[in-house]
Amino acid sequence: MRLHRLDITAFGPFGGSQSVDFDDLSAAGLFLLHGPTGAGKTSVLDAVCYALYGSVPGARHSGQGVTLRSDHASATARTEVTLELTVAGRRLEITRQPPWERPKKRGTGTTLEKAQTWLREHDAGTGTWRDRSRSHQEIGEEITQLLGMSREQFCQVVLLPQGDFARFLRADAEARGKLLGRLFDTQRFADVEKRLADRRRATEAQVREGDAALLADAHRMQQAAGGAMDLPALKPGEPGLADAVLTAAALARAGAREQLTIARCGLSAAESAQAAADRTLADVRELDRLQRRFAQARERAALLEQRSDAYHQAQARMERARKAETVAPALELRDTADTEHRTATVVETRARGQLPATFADAGAAGLAAAARRAAEELGGLESARRAEHRLTELTGERARLDRQERADEDVLQEADAWLADWDATRAALQAAVESAQQAATRAEQLAVQRDPARARLAAARQRDLLTREAREAREHAVTAASDAVQARAAWLDVKEQRLNGIAAELAGRLADGDPCAVCGATEHPAPARKDAGHVDRDTEERALAAYQSADERRTETDRALGQVQRALAAAEGEAGDTPTEQLARDAAALEERYTHARSAAALLHPSTERLRHAEQERDRRFSARQQAAVDAASRVAARDALDRERTTLERELTHARGAADSVATRARQLERQVVLLTDAADAARAATDTAQRLKDADARLADAAFRAGFDTPRAAADALLDDTAHRELQRRLDAWQSEEATVRAVLAETDTAEAARRPAADLTGAEHTAAAASARVRDAASTRDAADSRCAELDRLSARSATGVRRLAPLREEYDRVARLATLAAGTSAENERRMRLESYVLAARLEQVAAAATVRLQRMSSGRYTLVHSDDRSGRGRSGLGLHVVDAWTGRERDTSTLSGGETFFASLALALGLADVVTDEAGGVRLDTLFIDEGFGSLDDQTLDEVLDVLDSLRERDRSVGIVSHVADLRRRIHAQLEVVKSRSGSTLRQRGVG
């Protein structure tokens, strides 16, 4: 992966648009990203990460445009990041815009713009860019797949955060495991541990559930055995539970079978005794029944003798009723005819009562003729009805014309009054529109003047502030220059004093027999002696360090003064010589005029709308006035036609109504008269017919009664019986005859007569004896059933327990196997000597690779002194696997990385970061990482170590890599020529490239 270009707008501290050309920066292999604290060095790396993954690294990760957007950006500028890079042989361009609150285009307030993402790919053949996708999800998945790394891996491998690796060196095994787990994606091994632990808990729960079921069955068997069964004092999951339950069950079943044998013997004896008692009871009951049967028959025979007279009377009554039944049809026919005649007479009387007195003596034929005459007169009124209905419609139409005439008169008056004021109204509305248009033109002209005036006022205020800062910076520069001159003079004095006494310093190293470093003599007869003011090397070095420090302060103050002077010149060039107060008054006056013009211009749309509505109203009222005049003319002819038709209809109706109020009233009178006459004619004919049928029925009834032997029809009617009385009389006759036959049959039975001659039967004593025998059988049967049920229940529960034991056997074996694997993978098993978890075991192998890759660079940085090694020693909670030690070649001893000094910790963590980058790159499928960034940490190194570290970083070019160092250390600016500087100001940060191109 190689970065080519980065464009950022309104992102982080960058209020405007900035661009970074990584191709130029990477040409030297090593480039520096520097700037003051808080300027935005890390924000450049955040922009790279946001473009690739849509979020920023580490604790700054939020993914919300609210935190990414620059506070220095203008209200209309949208936050945007564009990154051009080459990965997997493809040149891509990614553009991301987070969501933001933009001002509304109409009205006031803001509206939320959604996030947008574009992905384009460069076509080398045509030299053009082709759109690939605008989907957040598709772009994220494609970039992650091409890089082969997640956001966390990218931030650790490409954006090397030294603080994280320093903590990694000093961290415990658990903290190292979390970082390595995120980088090497060992979650699947942690998932295996969790899966084994879950499987162990699941199988353990199944085993405990099975054991609980066994114990529950054992308690049921104890209840079935009547408490005679001893249960094992074991809990679910304990070994030996199954065997103990099966043994106790077998003993309980043996005891239950013995009790069942005893109960069966007792039941057999009780049943034999009961059979004998039952036979005796049956004999006594039969004797008692026969004796009671004979006594009851004698009593019933006496009762029949007493009721014989009533029986003979009933027989005579039944014979007379049979004769009367031959007369019943004639009786029914006469009753029906009489009923019909009386009903017809009543109807005729009622119908004649509703007719006028002139029809009181009229016959049926006369009434029918009168009804036909009334119906003919009713038919002639149909034409009069239509005329009367039309007259009603004419009255409504005449009233409607009158209402329309009044409404049109109101419309004409209102339209004339409104149109009379139209010219004045239109002139006023047109004047308001023209005034608002002029105000809008003034507002546009003033809006053009506002931004320059504001910018000039801001530059003037910046000019005043920078003037004070320049004065203070000049004073600091003069003081720093004076201090540097004095420090240099002091250092030169000390150096001269040391040179003057150098002979004494060299003489202090002489020893008899050793050659002199100057003349080579082995004898030293008169070595020089140190005087009281002798200056040694340490004193000179302290003086030199003081001079260098003073010179750095002078350089820093000169640089600060130059920056302030350049900024002051820019501010003066924009603001000019006009005082700030005058510019402020001019800007305020311009703003006030602009505000007034905007307020007046805001009335343009309402005024235009009012004018448009007024013109529409004028057209509507003019059209309404014309239409009202046309309608008035057409109504005159319509009113005359209605009046003529009304006169004709009224003459026709006067003749048709006669004495009635209306034609409808006359029609209703005739309709009622037709109905009444028709009903009266029908009733008269019905009365005549029913009278003749009644006379015929009387003759037929008298003949039928004489033939049946009755003197009169009334006597035949009295002899008739209804169905209920006939059935009751017949039932009494049949009951007497049946009772008589039954009594004779019982008295004639031989066994019944013989039983009557024997002594009375003792039924109560036999029943008591049989009941006692039956109770003994029930008790014995209950005892036998209880024993049988106990045996069956014990057999069932024992069989179920045996089945449960067989079913639990493989499950218990699986639990033992899974529990052994789970504890082994979790590092809690005694078989795991180092108590190393499975994930830690995999990470330990990765840590060995990282330590080996890091050692190659660490030895160069430390001049061969230090080597990083992986350790399996146990740490917290007795676990092992992720230890990291450093081997010191000077002492030959291995010690913990937490004992390294600050500078040693930096280059050790840098070597670890670079080694981790190589291993993760290989793990990610060999994706080339041609651009790396190292964030801070160089300030803790001395000059020699810094040179060695830079040599190691410079050697990364052997793999065609470019390394960007993020630091504010001043010495790096002299050592690294290719630079990207972040310049901080009140209006936001900017980017500047140096030493490239």
Side-chain angles (χ1 to χ4, degrees):
M1 181 199 73
R2 178 177 294 278
L3 305 182
H4 299 295
R5 191 188 83 257
L6 175 67
D7 296 324
I8 53 180
T9 301
F11 183 88
F14 304 102
S17 297
Q18 305 293 323
S19 181
V20 180
D21 190 342
F22 284 111
D23 286 335
D24 284 349
L25 289 173
S26 302
L30 195 65
F31 63 90
L32 177 67
L33 173 59
H34 69 93
T37 301
K41 300 186 295 295
T42 305
S43 295
V44 176
L45 307 185
D46 290 348
V48 173
C49 184
Y50 178 72
L52 292 173
Y53 294 97
S55 59
V56 295
R60 302 184 301 279
H61 169 56
S62 68
Q64 299 297 324
V66 176
T67 59
L68 300 179
R69 180 169 176 79
S70 174
D71 295 333
H72 302 283
S74 64
T76 58
R78 175 154 191 174
T79 302
E80 181 178 279
V81 176
T82 301
L83 178 65
E84 184 180 341
L85 74 158
T86 296
V87 58
R90 299 168 60 185
R91 187 153 183 160
L92 305 175
E93 181 188 80
I94 309 170
T95 301
R96 291 188 186 271
Q97 294 180 348
W100 71 303
E101 293 282 346
R102 66 163 178 81
K104 293 182 177 179
K105 296 180 180 179
R106 294 182 179 179
T108 59
T110 61
T111 184
L112 179 64
E113 283 279 355
K114 296 182 179 179
Q116 300 187 40
T117 306
W118 295 271
L119 176 63
R120 300 197 304 166
E121 183 172 3
H122 188 264
D123 190 342
T126 61
T128 59
W129 291 91
R130 294 185 294 106
D131 291 334
R132 299 288 297 176
S133 177
R134 291 176 66 95
S135 169
H136 302 291
Q137 182 176 0
E138 290 180 0
I139 295 173
E141 292 176 355
E142 184 165 359
I143 294 300
T144 302
Q145 183 176 3
L146 289 174
L147 293 177
M149 291 179 286
S150 64
R151 182 181 64 84
E152 291 77 9
Q153 291 176 315
F154 178 84
C155 295
Q156 292 289 147
V157 174
V158 180
L159 313 178
L160 303 179
Q162 293 305 301
D164 288 354
F165 284 97
R167 288 190 295 273
F168 182 81
L169 281 173
R170 297 184 173 91
D172 55 13
E174 183 176 358
R176 286 195 185 111
K178 291 180 179 179
L179 176 60
L180 294 175
R182 291 197 306 269
L183 293 179
F184 291 106
D185 192 18
T186 57
Q187 182 61 37
R188 60 187 182 277
F189 300 103
D191 292 341
V192 170
E193 296 178 25
K194 184 177 181 299
R195 178 74 178 276
L196 288 173
D198 294 342
R199 183 74 178 278
R200 179 184 62 80
R201 286 191 293 270
T203 53
E204 182 182 9
Q206 291 176 347
V207 170
R208 288 182 176 274
E209 183 180 353
D211 286 348
L214 282 178
L215 280 178
D217 287 342
H219 284 294
R220 294 188 185 96
M221 285 188 284
Q222 187 182 37
Q223 293 176 356
M229 175 181 172
D230 294 330
L231 288 180
L234 296 174
K235 295 181 179 179
E238 295 186 16
L241 175 65
D243 294 338
V245 170
L246 293 179
T247 301
L251 294 175
R253 289 168 60 198
R257 287 195 180 91
E258 183 178 356
Q259 294 178 359
L260 177 60
T261 303
I262 296 173
R264 285 176 176 172
C265 293
L267 177 61
S268 179
E271 288 176 344
S272 299
Q274 183 190 15
D278 288 343
R279 289 193 297 272
T280 302
L281 177 60
D283 295 340
V284 173
R285 282 178 175 170
E286 181 62 18
L287 177 61
D288 180 69
R289 184 185 68 81
L290 293 175
Q291 290 177 344
R292 286 188 290 103
R293 179 179 176 83
F294 185 81
Q296 291 173 356
R298 296 290 298 271
E299 293 176 357
R300 290 161 65 188
L303 184 60
L304 286 174
E305 184 64 27
Q306 294 175 2
R307 290 163 32 190
S308 59
D309 292 340
Y311 168 71
H312 294 305
Q313 292 177 359
Q315 278 184 323
R317 181 72 178 89
M318 179 61 73
E319 182 62 25
R320 186 173 178 78
R322 289 194 184 98
K323 293 178 180 180
E325 287 177 0
T326 59
V327 187
L331 286 170
E332 292 177 0
L333 181 61
R334 197 270 174 190
D335 291 341
T336 300
D338 183 62
T339 301
E340 290 176 353
H341 178 63
R342 285 198 297 271
T343 301
T345 302
V346 172
V347 171
E348 180 186 11
T349 303
R350 187 183 303 115
R352 287 182 179 276
Q354 296 180 4
L355 294 176
T358 56
F359 297 101
D361 298 329
L367 293 175
R372 285 194 299 273
R373 289 193 298 272
E376 291 173 356
E377 184 179 357
L378 178 62
L381 291 180
E382 184 62 30
S383 175
R385 288 182 179 180
R386 289 193 298 269
E388 189 175 45
H389 179 69
R390 175 57 182 161
L391 184 61
T392 303
E393 291 179 350
L394 291 176
T395 302
E397 291 178 5
R398 189 66 165 75
R400 178 176 56 80
L401 291 176
D402 293 341
R403 289 195 300 272
Q404 290 178 353
E405 184 176 10
R406 289 192 297 272
D408 287 344
E409 289 176 355
D410 294 339
V411 169
L412 287 172
Q413 292 176 1
E414 184 180 355
D416 291 340
W418 194 91
L419 292 173
D421 299 332
W422 164 242
D423 293 336
T425 301
R426 187 179 185 283
L429 292 175
Q430 186 65 38
V433 171
E434 293 174 355
S435 176
Q437 289 176 341
Q438 294 172 0
T441 304
R442 289 197 305 276
E444 292 177 357
Q445 295 171 351
L446 293 173
V448 176
Q449 303 174 17
R450 287 173 68 222
D451 291 341
R454 289 178 176 177
R456 191 176 180 189
L457 176 60
R461 291 171 176 168
Q462 185 72 6
R463 177 195 63 193
D464 297 344
L465 177 63
L466 291 175
T467 299
R468 294 191 296 271
E469 293 181 355
R471 183 168 54 253
E472 295 174 357
R474 192 177 296 108
E475 293 174 357
H476 293 162
V478 171
T479 301
S482 176
D483 293 343
V485 170
Q486 293 177 5
R488 178 179 174 80
W491 168 58
L492 292 176
D493 291 343
V494 171
K495 184 175 183 180
E496 184 178 1
Q497 292 176 15
R498 185 186 174 213
L499 291 175
N500 291 335
I502 195 65
E505 185 175 340
L506 294 174
R509 303 176 184 175
L510 296 177
D512 293 338
D514 294 335
C516 176
V518 179
C519 63
T522 57
E523 295 182 358
H524 318 292
R529 304 295 181 184
K530 296 180 179 180
D531 56 17
H534 177 74
V535 177
D536 57 10
R537 181 176 181 177
D538 292 340
T539 304
E540 181 187 358
E541 289 180 350
R542 286 195 296 272
L544 175 61
Y547 161 63
Q548 292 175 339
S549 177
D551 188 58
E552 289 181 356
R553 287 195 297 274
R554 179 189 61 76
T555 302
E556 182 65 25
T557 55
D558 289 343
R559 184 189 64 78
L561 177 59
Q563 290 180 345
V564 173
Q565 288 175 341
R566 288 193 296 274
L568 177 60
E572 289 176 344
E574 184 175 358
D577 298 331
T578 307
T580 304
E581 293 76 5
Q582 180 62 37
L583 292 175
R585 288 193 297 272
D586 295 343
L590 180 62
E591 186 67 27
E592 183 178 1
R593 290 166 55 201
Y594 172 74
T595 302
H596 291 163
R598 281 290 304 274
S599 300
L603 300 175
L604 176 59
H605 178 70
S607 299
T608 303
E609 287 297 309
R610 284 195 294 271
L611 176 58
R612 184 175 62 83
H613 289 317
E615 290 176 344
Q616 292 176 350
E617 181 65 16
R618 182 258 178 192
D619 294 340
R620 186 185 68 80
R621 289 181 182 270
F622 188 78
S623 298
R625 185 176 64 178
Q626 290 180 335
Q627 185 63 39
V630 173
D631 292 343
S634 63
R635 279 194 298 273
V636 174
R639 187 182 294 109
D640 294 341
L642 291 176
D643 291 342
R644 288 194 299 272
E645 185 179 2
R646 181 174 182 177
T647 301
T648 301
L649 292 175
E650 286 179 347
R651 285 199 302 268
E652 180 181 351
L653 290 175
T654 300
H655 175 71
R657 282 196 298 264
D661 297 337
S662 64
V663 174
T665 302
R666 178 57 180 165
R668 286 195 296 273
Q669 293 174 352
L670 290 175
E671 288 175 352
R672 177 173 176 76
Q673 185 175 356
V674 170
V675 171
L676 293 177
L677 290 171
T678 302
D679 291 343
D682 294 340
R685 283 194 295 269
T688 303
D689 294 342
T690 54
Q692 183 60 40
R693 285 197 296 273
L694 176 60
K695 182 178 180 181
D696 295 340
D698 285 337
R700 284 194 294 270
L701 175 59
D703 184 63
F706 176 76
R707 291 177 181 276
F710 293 98
D711 296 336
T712 63
R714 174 54 54 191
D718 294 339
L720 279 176
L721 294 175
D722 57 19
D723 292 342
T724 301
H726 186 279
R727 286 194 299 271
E728 176 62 23
L729 183 60
Q730 185 64 48
R731 184 192 64 76
R732 287 163 52 196
L733 292 173
D734 293 341
W736 195 92
Q737 293 174 356
S738 176
E739 178 72 6
E740 183 183 22
T742 301
V743 169
R744 284 199 303 268
V746 171
L747 294 177
E749 292 175 354
T750 305
D751 53 351
T752 303
E754 182 179 354
R757 292 191 291 270
R758 294 177 59 184
D762 186 8
L763 181 60
T764 302
E767 288 177 346
H768 288 168
T769 302
S774 178
R776 288 192 295 271
V777 169
R778 285 195 300 271
D779 293 342
S782 177
T783 303
R784 190 276 315 274
D785 292 342
D788 195 10
S789 176
R790 186 179 299 111
C791 288
E793 182 67 10
L794 289 174
D795 289 343
R796 185 183 66 82
L797 293 174
S798 296
R800 190 166 73 177
S801 298
T803 301
V805 170
R806 289 193 299 273
R807 182 181 59 81
L808 280 175
L811 187 61
R812 197 181 300 277
E813 292 176 0
E814 181 184 3
Y815 165 68
D816 294 339
R817 181 173 63 257
V818 172
R820 181 169 173 267
L821 287 175
T823 55
L824 187 64
T828 59
S829 171
E831 296 176 324
N832 192 332
E833 296 180 357
R834 294 188 177 276
R835 299 179 63 79
M836 188 184 300
R837 294 172 52 236
L838 176 61
E839 184 182 16
S840 300
Y841 176 77
V842 176
L843 292 177
R846 295 289 187 269
L847 187 58
E848 285 182 340
Q849 297 174 356
V850 173
T855 296
V856 176
R857 297 184 175 88
L858 180 59
Q859 288 182 340
R860 289 188 60 185
M861 295 180 188
S862 63
S863 301
R865 179 178 180 183
Y866 293 118
T867 301
L868 282 174
V869 294
H870 164 254
S871 173
D872 282 338
D873 294 340
R874 294 187 178 183
S875 57
R877 295 188 295 179
R879 301 295 181 90
S880 62
L882 296 179
L884 193 63
H885 290 173
V886 62
V887 178
D888 191 344
W890 289 5
T891 63
R893 305 190 63 176
E894 181 179 324
R895 54 192 173 96
D896 193 85
T897 54
S898 61
T899 61
L900 295 173
S901 65
E904 293 169 342
T905 298
F906 167 72
F907 61 69
S909 62
L910 177 59
L912 184 64
L914 295 174
L916 184 62
D918 292 340
V919 175
V920 173
T921 300
D922 296 337
E923 179 75 12
V927 177
R928 289 179 55 83
L929 301 178
D930 299 323
T931 307
L932 298 176
F933 295 90
I934 301 174
D935 192 358
E936 289 297 345
F938 292 88
S940 60
L941 304 180
D942 56 41
D943 292 344
Q944 180 180 356
T945 305
L946 182 59
D947 288 336
E948 293 171 348
V949 169
L950 292 178
D951 288 342
V952 171
L953 295 177
D954 192 56
S955 67
L956 293 176
R957 288 185 296 176
E958 298 172 2
R959 300 182 65 177
D960 196 22
R961 283 181 174 174
S962 61
V963 180
I965 297 176
V966 184
S967 178
H968 60 270
V969 176
D971 193 30
L972 289 176
R973 283 175 247 167
R974 294 192 293 270
R975 295 171 181 264
I976 302 175
H977 299 290
Q979 299 179 8
L980 176 63
E981 181 182 5
V982 184
V983 181
K984 180 171 65 174
S985 68
R986 293 178 178 270
S987 60
S989 299
T990 57
L991 296 175
R992 185 186 309 163
Q993 292 188 202
R994 294 180 178 178
V996 297

